[in-house]
Amino acid sequence: QVQLVESGGGLVQPGDSLSVSCVVSGRDFSTHTMGWFRQTPGKEREFVAGISKSGGSITYADSVKGRFTISRDNAKNTVFLQMNSLKFEDTAVYYCAARGGITVTMSVDYYDYWGQGTQVTVSS
């Protein structure tokens, strides 16, 4: 059984920073590309950031580029998303995902495993 568990979400004010993490169990974490997605009610799930197996390739959505940083610690089976300068539009449930492909993709169709999500709310 493969499990992805996100944590670290919460309520913050615009301009604040927040870090969310995803712990993966039940598989060889180091062989998988990891991604972060987010979704709000009534909208499709959108790509936020992705990182390759070794961390050598990183991709960000234009909406978060320059503000968010994705990283991974293979020894701890964990992927992180550091979010800075948060905006109202960043409010969403953030999901961690994993795929066996060697490249980082933005499509939800290419990810094999998903976490249950963690809520991030940006409000004044």
Side-chain angles (χ1 to χ4, degrees), residues 43-66:
K43 297 183 180 297
E44 64 183 11
R45 189 168 298 184
E46 66 173 344
F47 173 83
V48 176
I51 186 169
S52 63
K53 301 174 183 179
S54 64
S57 296
I58 295 176
T59 302
Y60 296 101
D62 290 339
S63 59
V64 305
K65 192 173 184 179

mmCIF file of all heavy atoms in Angstrom, residues 43-66:
data_model
loop_
_atom_site.group_PDB
_atom_site.id
_atom_site.type_symbol
_atom_site.label_atom_id
_atom_site.label_comp_id
_atom_site.label_asym_id
_atom_site.label_seq_id
_atom_site.Cartn_x
_atom_site.Cartn_y
_atom_site.Cartn_z
ATOM 1 N N LYS A 43 -13.523 24.178 -9.301
ATOM 2 C CA LYS A 43 -12.450 24.344 -10.271
ATOM 3 C C LYS A 43 -11.653 23.049 -10.420
ATOM 4 O O LYS A 43 -11.642 22.202 -9.531
ATOM 5 C CB LYS A 43 -11.519 25.480 -9.854
ATOM 6 C CG LYS A 43 -12.184 26.845 -9.800
ATOM 7 C CD LYS A 43 -11.190 27.924 -9.446
ATOM 8 C CE LYS A 43 -11.849 29.295 -9.394
ATOM 9 N NZ LYS A 43 -12.384 29.693 -10.724
ATOM 10 N N GLU A 44 -10.996 22.937 -11.556
ATOM 11 C CA GLU A 44 -10.182 21.756 -11.812
ATOM 12 C C GLU A 44 -8.898 21.798 -10.995
ATOM 13 O O GLU A 44 -8.414 22.866 -10.617
ATOM 14 C CB GLU A 44 -9.859 21.653 -13.302
ATOM 15 C CG GLU A 44 -9.001 22.790 -13.830
ATOM 16 C CD GLU A 44 -8.753 22.693 -15.319
ATOM 17 O OE1 GLU A 44 -9.403 21.870 -15.973
ATOM 18 O OE2 GLU A 44 -7.894 23.443 -15.833
ATOM 19 N N ARG A 45 -8.366 20.632 -10.732
ATOM 20 C CA ARG A 45 -7.110 20.551 -10.009
ATOM 21 C C ARG A 45 -5.985 21.074 -10.894
ATOM 22 O O ARG A 45 -5.858 20.682 -12.053
ATOM 23 C CB ARG A 45 -6.845 19.099 -9.604
ATOM 24 C CG ARG A 45 -5.675 18.923 -8.659
ATOM 25 C CD ARG A 45 -5.658 17.507 -8.066
ATOM 26 N NE ARG A 45 -6.855 17.243 -7.286
ATOM 27 C CZ ARG A 45 -7.062 16.122 -6.604
ATOM 28 N NH1 ARG A 45 -6.143 15.166 -6.596
ATOM 29 N NH2 ARG A 45 -8.186 15.958 -5.929
ATOM 30 N N GLU A 46 -5.162 21.946 -10.351
ATOM 31 C CA GLU A 46 -4.112 22.563 -11.132
ATOM 32 C C GLU A 46 -2.724 22.256 -10.580
ATOM 33 O O GLU A 46 -2.527 22.113 -9.376
ATOM 34 C CB GLU A 46 -4.309 24.078 -11.219
ATOM 35 C CG GLU A 46 -4.157 24.803 -9.894
ATOM 36 C CD GLU A 46 -4.187 26.313 -10.046
ATOM 37 O OE1 GLU A 46 -4.022 26.800 -11.182
ATOM 38 O OE2 GLU A 46 -4.381 27.003 -9.024
ATOM 39 N N PHE A 47 -1.785 22.197 -11.482
ATOM 40 C CA PHE A 47 -0.399 21.940 -11.139
ATOM 41 C C PHE A 47 0.204 23.138 -10.445
ATOM 42 O O PHE A 47 -0.032 24.284 -10.832
ATOM 43 C CB PHE A 47 0.385 21.618 -12.414
ATOM 44 C CG PHE A 47 1.864 21.484 -12.221
ATOM 45 C CD1 PHE A 47 2.420 20.293 -11.772
ATOM 46 C CD2 PHE A 47 2.713 22.540 -12.504
ATOM 47 C CE1 PHE A 47 3.783 20.156 -11.602
ATOM 48 C CE2 PHE A 47 4.082 22.419 -12.339
ATOM 49 C CZ PHE A 47 4.613 21.222 -11.883
ATOM 50 N N VAL A 48 1.006 22.875 -9.430
ATOM 51 C CA VAL A 48 1.685 23.932 -8.691
ATOM 52 C C VAL A 48 3.192 23.841 -8.873
ATOM 53 O O VAL A 48 3.846 24.807 -9.267
ATOM 54 C CB VAL A 48 1.349 23.882 -7.195
ATOM 55 C CG1 VAL A 48 2.156 24.936 -6.429
ATOM 56 C CG2 VAL A 48 -0.144 24.096 -6.981
ATOM 57 N N ALA A 49 3.752 22.682 -8.585
ATOM 58 C CA ALA A 49 5.195 22.484 -8.691
ATOM 59 C C ALA A 49 5.519 21.011 -8.797
ATOM 60 O O ALA A 49 4.780 20.164 -8.313
ATOM 61 C CB ALA A 49 5.909 23.095 -7.481
ATOM 62 N N GLY A 50 6.647 20.704 -9.428
ATOM 63 C CA GLY A 50 7.086 19.332 -9.557
ATOM 64 C C GLY A 50 8.589 19.231 -9.428
ATOM 65 O O GLY A 50 9.311 20.178 -9.745
ATOM 66 N N ILE A 51 9.050 18.082 -8.976
ATOM 67 C CA ILE A 51 10.474 17.864 -8.776
ATOM 68 C C ILE A 51 10.830 16.443 -9.166
ATOM 69 O O ILE A 51 10.105 15.497 -8.862
ATOM 70 C CB ILE A 51 10.867 18.171 -7.311
ATOM 71 C CG1 ILE A 51 12.386 18.088 -7.123
ATOM 72 C CG2 ILE A 51 10.147 17.238 -6.347
ATOM 73 C CD1 ILE A 51 12.849 18.646 -5.780
ATOM 74 N N SER A 52 11.956 16.277 -9.850
ATOM 75 C CA SER A 52 12.385 14.972 -10.328
ATOM 76 C C SER A 52 12.945 14.116 -9.202
ATOM 77 O O SER A 52 13.071 14.560 -8.059
ATOM 78 C CB SER A 52 13.430 15.131 -11.432
ATOM 79 O OG SER A 52 14.596 15.769 -10.942
ATOM 80 N N LYS A 53 13.306 12.885 -9.539
ATOM 81 C CA LYS A 53 13.790 11.921 -8.555
ATOM 82 C C LYS A 53 14.942 12.437 -7.709
ATOM 83 O O LYS A 53 14.952 12.278 -6.485
ATOM 84 C CB LYS A 53 14.225 10.635 -9.263
ATOM 85 C CG LYS A 53 13.137 9.949 -10.059
ATOM 86 C CD LYS A 53 13.715 8.785 -10.839
ATOM 87 C CE LYS A 53 12.666 8.116 -11.695
ATOM 88 N NZ LYS A 53 13.234 6.986 -12.471
ATOM 89 N N SER A 54 15.910 13.031 -8.374
ATOM 90 C CA SER A 54 17.089 13.518 -7.681
ATOM 91 C C SER A 54 16.984 14.982 -7.279
ATOM 92 O O SER A 54 17.861 15.502 -6.587
ATOM 93 C CB SER A 54 18.324 13.332 -8.557
ATOM 94 O OG SER A 54 18.232 14.111 -9.737
ATOM 95 N N GLY A 55 15.942 15.640 -7.739
ATOM 96 C CA GLY A 55 15.784 17.053 -7.456
ATOM 97 C C GLY A 55 16.457 17.941 -8.480
ATOM 98 O O GLY A 55 16.467 19.168 -8.326
ATOM 99 N N GLY A 56 17.010 17.348 -9.533
ATOM 100 C CA GLY A 56 17.726 18.113 -10.531
ATOM 101 C C GLY A 56 16.848 18.898 -11.485
ATOM 102 O O GLY A 56 17.308 19.870 -12.086
ATOM 103 N N SER A 57 15.608 18.479 -11.640
ATOM 104 C CA SER A 57 14.668 19.171 -12.515
ATOM 105 C C SER A 57 13.471 19.625 -11.707
ATOM 106 O O SER A 57 12.822 18.818 -11.049
ATOM 107 C CB SER A 57 14.215 18.256 -13.653
ATOM 108 O OG SER A 57 15.300 17.909 -14.490
ATOM 109 N N ILE A 58 13.183 20.898 -11.782
ATOM 110 C CA ILE A 58 12.077 21.485 -11.035
ATOM 111 C C ILE A 58 11.245 22.355 -11.958
ATOM 112 O O ILE A 58 11.784 23.104 -12.773
ATOM 113 C CB ILE A 58 12.593 22.313 -9.845
ATOM 114 C CG1 ILE A 58 13.288 21.414 -8.826
ATOM 115 C CG2 ILE A 58 11.447 23.076 -9.187
ATOM 116 C CD1 ILE A 58 13.919 22.154 -7.672
ATOM 117 N N THR A 59 9.944 22.256 -11.822
ATOM 118 C CA THR A 59 9.024 23.037 -12.636
ATOM 119 C C THR A 59 7.977 23.684 -11.744
ATOM 120 O O THR A 59 7.466 23.059 -10.816
ATOM 121 C CB THR A 59 8.323 22.155 -13.682
ATOM 122 O OG1 THR A 59 9.296 21.523 -14.513
ATOM 123 C CG2 THR A 59 7.408 23.002 -14.563
ATOM 124 N N TYR A 60 7.658 24.947 -12.033
ATOM 125 C CA TYR A 60 6.639 25.672 -11.290
ATOM 126 C C TYR A 60 5.571 26.213 -12.229
ATOM 127 O O TYR A 60 5.851 26.554 -13.382
ATOM 128 C CB TYR A 60 7.242 26.857 -10.538
ATOM 129 C CG TYR A 60 8.229 26.493 -9.456
ATOM 130 C CD1 TYR A 60 9.601 26.599 -9.683
ATOM 131 C CD2 TYR A 60 7.797 26.054 -8.213
ATOM 132 C CE1 TYR A 60 10.511 26.275 -8.692
ATOM 133 C CE2 TYR A 60 8.703 25.725 -7.219
ATOM 134 C CZ TYR A 60 10.057 25.838 -7.461
ATOM 135 O OH TYR A 60 10.960 25.514 -6.471
ATOM 136 N N ALA A 61 4.374 26.297 -11.718
ATOM 137 C CA ALA A 61 3.326 26.980 -12.446
ATOM 138 C C ALA A 61 3.641 28.468 -12.461
ATOM 139 O O ALA A 61 4.243 28.992 -11.520
ATOM 140 C CB ALA A 61 1.970 26.740 -11.784
ATOM 141 N N ASP A 62 3.233 29.151 -13.520
ATOM 142 C CA ASP A 62 3.516 30.576 -13.625
ATOM 143 C C ASP A 62 2.935 31.372 -12.460
ATOM 144 O O ASP A 62 3.507 32.378 -12.037
ATOM 145 C CB ASP A 62 2.963 31.124 -14.940
ATOM 146 C CG ASP A 62 3.736 30.635 -16.144
ATOM 147 O OD1 ASP A 62 4.897 30.210 -15.988
ATOM 148 O OD2 ASP A 62 3.175 30.687 -17.261
ATOM 149 N N SER A 63 1.831 30.909 -11.936
ATOM 150 C CA SER A 63 1.156 31.626 -10.865
ATOM 151 C C SER A 63 1.921 31.628 -9.541
ATOM 152 O O SER A 63 1.662 32.471 -8.681
ATOM 153 C CB SER A 63 -0.244 31.038 -10.643
ATOM 154 O OG SER A 63 -0.167 29.666 -10.301
ATOM 155 N N VAL A 64 2.853 30.692 -9.382
ATOM 156 C CA VAL A 64 3.586 30.599 -8.122
ATOM 157 C C VAL A 64 5.087 30.778 -8.288
ATOM 158 O O VAL A 64 5.815 30.852 -7.286
ATOM 159 C CB VAL A 64 3.323 29.256 -7.410
ATOM 160 C CG1 VAL A 64 1.835 29.044 -7.217
ATOM 161 C CG2 VAL A 64 3.939 28.098 -8.191
ATOM 162 N N LYS A 65 5.548 30.858 -9.504
ATOM 163 C CA LYS A 65 6.972 30.981 -9.772
ATOM 164 C C LYS A 65 7.543 32.231 -9.101
ATOM 165 O O LYS A 65 6.997 33.321 -9.219
ATOM 166 C CB LYS A 65 7.220 31.031 -11.278
ATOM 167 C CG LYS A 65 8.675 30.876 -11.662
ATOM 168 C CD LYS A 65 8.825 30.765 -13.171
ATOM 169 C CE LYS A 65 10.270 30.509 -13.572
ATOM 170 N NZ LYS A 65 10.412 30.367 -15.048
ATOM 171 N N GLY A 66 8.641 32.038 -8.399
ATOM 172 C CA GLY A 66 9.262 33.136 -7.682
ATOM 173 C C GLY A 66 8.796 33.265 -6.251
ATOM 174 O O GLY A 66 9.429 33.975 -5.456
#
